[in-house]
Amino acid sequence: MGWIEGLNDAMDYIERNLEGDLDVARAARLAACTEGQFRRMFSYVAGIGLGEYVRRRRISCAALDLSRGERVVDVAMRYGYGSPTAFTRAFRDALGVSPSEAKRPGVRLSLFPRLSFSLTVTGAEPLSWRVVPRGGMRLVGVSLPCGPSEAGVLAQMGDEGRRELGRFWGGASRSGSIEALLALADGSGPEGILGVNVSEGGESSYRIAVASAAEAPRWADEIHVPAGTWAVFDCTGPCDVATAEHYRRIFSEWLPSSGYELAGDVSLEVYPRGDFSSAGYRSEIWMPVVRRPRG
């Protein structure tokens, strides 16, 4: 089964379970990836966090039910709201009217449609990539917890998220953490300072790190990345926008036609020394992959 077919099977599963308990891990398995990668991929391709998408779809379906005359309390319970008050607040935030008002004839309502995925020819510049086998890596760095992955679009996608990442990198630079980490780098992983995305279940984090076997400073932490195969993509441009655009293209253009699928919950951004804001700045994205089964 192809990547696009798997994504659409996952969307079918989500649509069938809007009224009940939604198992995101099961949806991810249909898309042949982990829950963390599924949440992350969805946010880049769809431009909206998975949790927010599900919330909007439930509110849209609730609006249709209310327009047919169903009781507010029944609709609220159907779509997982513990009280009519919570449902009313969410409904008004999404549609600008209360559930009771939505029952009146002639009230204008908005519908957030079901998403589906397709492979299209965009005419964009080709993506430069290569496959790199790599042994296990120990990464030492400082982390920025991003909270629940379902809370919204992941950090790199939204303007506020990019500003937060910029503040994180700026603070690490001013404090001397980046130079201190670079002094620990020992060539056991990609060369340069690394941006490390970790998506495990419903939680995500972002690290500034290096590959090193040296003892971690007291102000740093460490993670271990298992051996595997990585698809490595070349990025050119200011890193705060080029990285996000390349992630979007990897998920929406490369994966559907590559014959590979995602293999883990960690991806790496590799930043050599240089001017991060330059139009000619060159960086890399490392994505863990395995060959997609045939048939």
Side-chain angles (χ1 to χ4, degrees):
M1 180 176 64
W3 173 247
I4 295 296
E5 290 84 352
L7 288 179
N8 285 321
D9 284 348
M11 299 312 294
D12 288 342
Y13 167 78
I14 289 171
E15 197 69 14
R16 291 194 304 269
N17 288 275
L18 290 174
E19 297 183 13
D21 293 331
L22 183 58
D23 184 352
V24 177
R26 180 175 177 183
R29 288 194 295 273
L30 292 170
C33 58
T34 67
E35 179 181 346
Q37 289 286 16
F38 180 66
R39 290 181 183 276
R40 193 152 179 267
M41 172 280 307
F42 186 93
S43 71
Y44 277 105
V45 176
I48 182 175
L50 179 62
E52 177 64 13
Y53 168 76
V54 171
R55 186 185 71 83
R56 292 186 185 184
R57 282 296 299 140
R58 283 173 167 161
I59 291 294
S60 292
C61 292
L64 291 173
D65 293 347
L66 291 168
S67 71
R68 291 191 286 262
E70 296 195 36
R71 295 196 311 160
V72 172
V73 64
D74 293 337
V75 175
M77 295 297 292
R78 179 178 305 142
Y79 292 103
Y81 289 89
S83 71
T85 300
F87 175 61
T88 296
R89 185 183 306 114
F91 195 94
R92 187 182 293 277
D93 287 346
L95 301 184
V97 298
S98 70
S100 297
E101 291 169 331
K103 293 167 63 69
R104 299 172 185 168
V107 172
R108 188 184 300 275
L109 299 172
S110 298
L111 175 69
F112 190 81
R114 176 199 186 279
L115 293 183
S116 61
F117 296 90
S118 63
L119 179 62
T120 60
V121 178
T122 63
E125 291 295 319
L127 279 171
S128 175
W129 66 284
R130 65 190 187 278
V131 171
V132 176
R134 172 70 71 168
M137 292 179 279
R138 175 178 176 267
L139 305 182
V140 176
V142 290
S143 61
L144 173 69
C146 299
S149 297
E150 66 183 20
V153 179
L154 291 177
Q156 294 89 331
M157 286 297 293
D159 291 340
E160 176 54 34
R162 284 201 292 268
R163 286 192 292 269
E164 183 179 5
L165 277 184
R167 290 190 291 269
F168 182 48
W169 277 93
S173 178
R174 289 188 297 272
S175 69
S177 297
I178 290 179
E179 289 301 321
L181 289 171
L182 284 169
L184 298 176
D186 59 9
S188 58
E191 296 289 342
I193 195 73
L194 309 178
V196 185
N197 292 277
V198 182
S199 301
E200 296 177 309
E203 298 292 321
S204 62
S205 65
Y206 185 88
R207 284 173 171 80
I208 299 173
V210 294
S212 176
E215 182 179 355
R218 287 183 299 173
W219 45 265
D221 58 17
E222 63 181 71
I223 61 171
H224 295 264
V225 181
T229 300
W230 300 79
V232 179
F233 301 85
D234 297 326
C235 303
T236 302
C239 62
D240 61 338
V241 292
T243 302
E245 174 60 15
H246 276 77
Y247 273 127
R248 185 193 64 79
R249 294 190 62 196
I250 290 166
F251 288 128
S252 64
E253 298 175 21
W254 184 81
L255 270 175
S257 56
S258 67
Y260 287 89
E261 60 188 39
L262 300 175
D265 287 329
V266 177
S267 68
L268 308 177
E269 301 153 15
V270 182
Y271 298 115
R273 291 182 183 272
D275 182 0
F276 283 17
S277 63
S278 168
Y281 181 75
R282 299 181 66 84
S283 57
E284 296 176 340
I285 292 174
W286 290 48
M287 301 290 291
V289 295
V290 293
R291 281 281 188 183
R292 185 178 297 130
R294 295 183 179 275

